[in-house]
Amino acid sequence: MCQLLGMNANTPTDVMFSFAGLACRADEHKDGFGIGFFEERGLRHFIDHHGARSSPVAELVKHYPIKSLNVVAHIRKATQGRVALENTHPFVRELWGRYWVFAHNGDLKGFVPRLHGAFRPVGDTDSERAFCWLMQELDKAHADLPTIDELTCTLAELLPLPARHGTFNLLLSNGQALWAHGSTKLHSLERRHPFGAATLADEDLTVDFAARTQPGDRVAIVATEPLTAGEPWSAFAPGELRVFVDGECRLRRCG
């Protein structure tokens, strides 16, 4: 199973503690990794079809001072599509003058939608094909960039269609919000004042967030499996869609 990591915050936040927890799971997921994070309207996007344990790109990311409101990261275990750079998540497209970043965990069987617009896959994964279809349908549903609530309603209508074809755990962001859909396995956590210490579940690494935050800071983390021990992670219900804005869950929709 691929591993997903998303972050949404109300102030530019360092995601490297959570990324370190994700990278610990790279031994079983050697088919590539990637991360996309927004800096205002801009996007920094790093991918490599080599495993995160050995990738020089991963080393670059670990030493980059990431401060972002929205982050999407992925460690791949290939099910469809060969191990290649063009098949490495997260995928990026432009719509309504904004970048969109998408990562998927799962396997869609027989989902071959007709793609007739500007959104076509470069690689040969079910994930990128589903992303292109999703962008196409959003473009058809709205003439211009809708509100976050309007986008959430449209996504709640669209996501069950590919989900009928298999496992469809995903993260999606346009820099304004983070949408997360859980088909089988996804968890989220919200950190806010009073902040405490957190310890990674897979590695002996602890961070005291009280020393790094302000009282008004809020951060939401989404991951396939809980990344830390002793924190109140919340499991998604099958078919549940959550949207995170300013570091907290604004809305939940169950399919």
Side-chain angles (χ1 to χ4, degrees):
M1 171 182 286
C2 301
Q3 297 288 312
L4 297 171
L5 168 65
M7 186 197 76
N8 170 267
N10 69 339
T11 189
T13 299
D14 184 345
V15 75
M16 294 318 298
F17 176 70
S18 296
F19 184 76
L22 184 74
C24 289
R25 298 170 180 174
D27 286 342
E28 298 178 4
H29 307 82
K30 301 177 180 179
D31 299 328
F33 89 98
I35 184 170
F37 52 94
F38 289 86
E39 294 180 4
E40 297 183 352
R41 291 175 66 96
L43 176 75
R44 296 193 187 272
H45 182 222
F46 299 92
I47 58 173
D48 194 344
H49 60 291
H50 300 292
R53 287 286 195 185
S54 59
S55 167
V57 178
E59 286 301 310
L60 185 155
V61 171
K62 289 176 183 177
H63 292 93
Y64 186 88
I66 296 176
K67 290 285 187 179
S68 181
L69 299 179
N70 288 281
V71 178
V72 173
H74 181 273
I75 291 181
R76 186 179 185 219
K77 185 174 183 180
T79 54
Q80 294 188 39
R82 63 194 181 92
V83 177
L85 195 62
E86 64 267 26
N87 288 332
T88 306
H89 308 225
F91 301 104
V92 178
R93 293 293 188 277
E94 178 275 331
L95 178 59
W96 302 310
R98 299 198 72 100
Y99 291 114
W100 292 76
V101 183
F102 171 95
H104 166 228
N105 161 31
D107 190 11
L108 302 177
K109 300 293 188 183
F111 183 64
V112 189
R114 182 181 179 186
L115 300 175
H116 50 75
F119 304 103
R120 302 291 180 94
V122 177
D124 54 0
T125 64
D126 55 331
S127 304
E128 189 184 17
R129 186 164 56 246
F131 179 37
C132 289
W133 173 82
L134 194 58
M135 291 292 95
Q136 173 182 279
E137 297 306 302
L138 286 175
D139 191 25
K140 288 164 56 177
H142 302 280
D144 205 346
L145 180 65
T147 66
I148 292 171
D149 290 343
E150 289 171 337
L151 278 167
T152 303
C153 289
T154 305
L155 287 169
E157 295 176 359
L158 294 173
L159 294 176
L161 277 70
R164 294 171 189 163
H165 292 261
T167 305
F168 200 44
N169 304 306
L170 68 87
L171 298 174
L172 176 71
S173 181
N174 67 351
Q176 296 176 303
L178 175 69
W179 288 270
H181 178 263
S183 176
T184 56
K185 189 173 291 187
L186 206 58
H187 298 77
S188 71
L189 169 71
E190 296 179 29
R191 295 189 181 111
R192 63 183 69 209
H193 184 77
F195 292 91
T199 301
L200 291 178
D202 302 304
E203 189 168 292
D204 186 16
L205 179 61
T206 300
V207 168
D208 182 6
F209 288 106
R212 301 185 176 197
T213 56
Q214 301 297 320
D217 292 353
R218 295 191 304 273
V219 181
I221 304 292
V222 183
T224 303
E225 298 278 7
L227 295 172
T228 59
E231 290 192 289
W233 290 85
S234 169
F236 282 55
E240 185 176 5
L241 172 66
R242 300 181 187 180
V243 56
F244 299 88
V245 182
D246 292 333
E248 59 186 357
C249 185
R250 171 180 285 188
L251 183 67
R252 298 184 181 190
R253 295 283 296 269
C254 289

